[in-house]
Amino acid sequence: MPRRLATVVLLLAPLALATPASAYSKAANYLIKQQIRVACDGRPGRIRPEGVIERDLTGDGHKDLIINHDGIECRAEWSRSGYCGASACSVHIYVREGALLVHKTELLTGGIRIGRGSRPRISFYSLTEQRMVPMRWNGRTFD
């Protein structure tokens, strides 16, 4: 009986690492796949759940999108994204405009946190300032 349980665990383990595609909108899934393809130079890859945030960032009631390359793993021995350095990774922020998610900004950061509320404060670790720097949607861009 323990051997059968071990076999089931081994078969299900890869599923636990995969991000369920149905968890995100079609537009988000498209952009996630695009960022994985770019990050891994066209090789297969995956993104961990903590690499994707889909929620309202602008206060309009629609889900926006953050893709953090720190969450992307490329199949070549499951290495990091090509857009990560020793202490920072690219983070892309998209805002929903109609049915589309439009790219608004890209950050090179050592970490990102999202506050509460309908127009949350987004704090990112600035390598030049060596501290968390806040920004928020102003109606047109993040500042």
Side-chain angles (χ1 to χ4, degrees):
M1 190 68 156
R3 185 175 179 175
R4 183 176 288 172
L5 179 60
T7 302
V8 170
V9 170
L10 287 174
L11 291 173
L12 294 178
L15 297 176
L17 295 174
T19 304
S22 61
Y24 306 114
S25 68
K26 287 182 182 180
N29 278 326
Y30 173 83
L31 293 168
I32 291 165
K33 288 177 186 175
Q34 181 183 53
Q35 287 299 318
I36 291 170
R37 192 170 41 254
V38 168
C40 299
D41 289 327
R43 295 183 322 269
R46 62 186 177 197
I47 193 162
R48 295 186 314 273
E50 62 267 25
V52 179
I53 299 169
E54 190 177 29
R55 65 173 271 198
D56 185 10
L57 302 172
T58 62
D60 65 359
H62 301 287
K63 289 183 178 180
D64 305 303
L65 178 66
I66 297 175
I67 299 175
N68 186 345
H69 275 252
D70 191 39
I72 296 176
E73 298 173 326
C74 302
R75 185 152 195 177
E77 299 176 11
W78 295 115
S79 60
R80 292 179 84 185
S81 163
Y83 288 84
C84 288
S87 59
C89 291
S90 286
V91 173
H92 296 268
I93 302 178
Y94 302 85
V95 169
R96 181 152 310 267
E97 293 181 6
L100 301 176
L101 285 164
V102 178
H103 191 265
K104 292 297 181 177
T105 193
E106 178 180 1
L107 307 166
L108 184 61
T109 180
I112 190 161
R113 284 188 294 205
I114 312 301
R116 296 182 182 177
S118 62
R119 253 184 2 122
R121 179 187 348 213
I122 301 170
S123 299
F124 64 96
Y125 186 76
S126 168
L127 298 172
T128 55
E129 296 184 34
Q130 299 290 303
R131 66 180 181 92
M132 293 300 282
V133 175
M135 67 179 184
R136 186 171 279 166
W137 180 251
N138 68 11
R140 291 188 6 208
T141 189
F142 290 94
D143 62 11

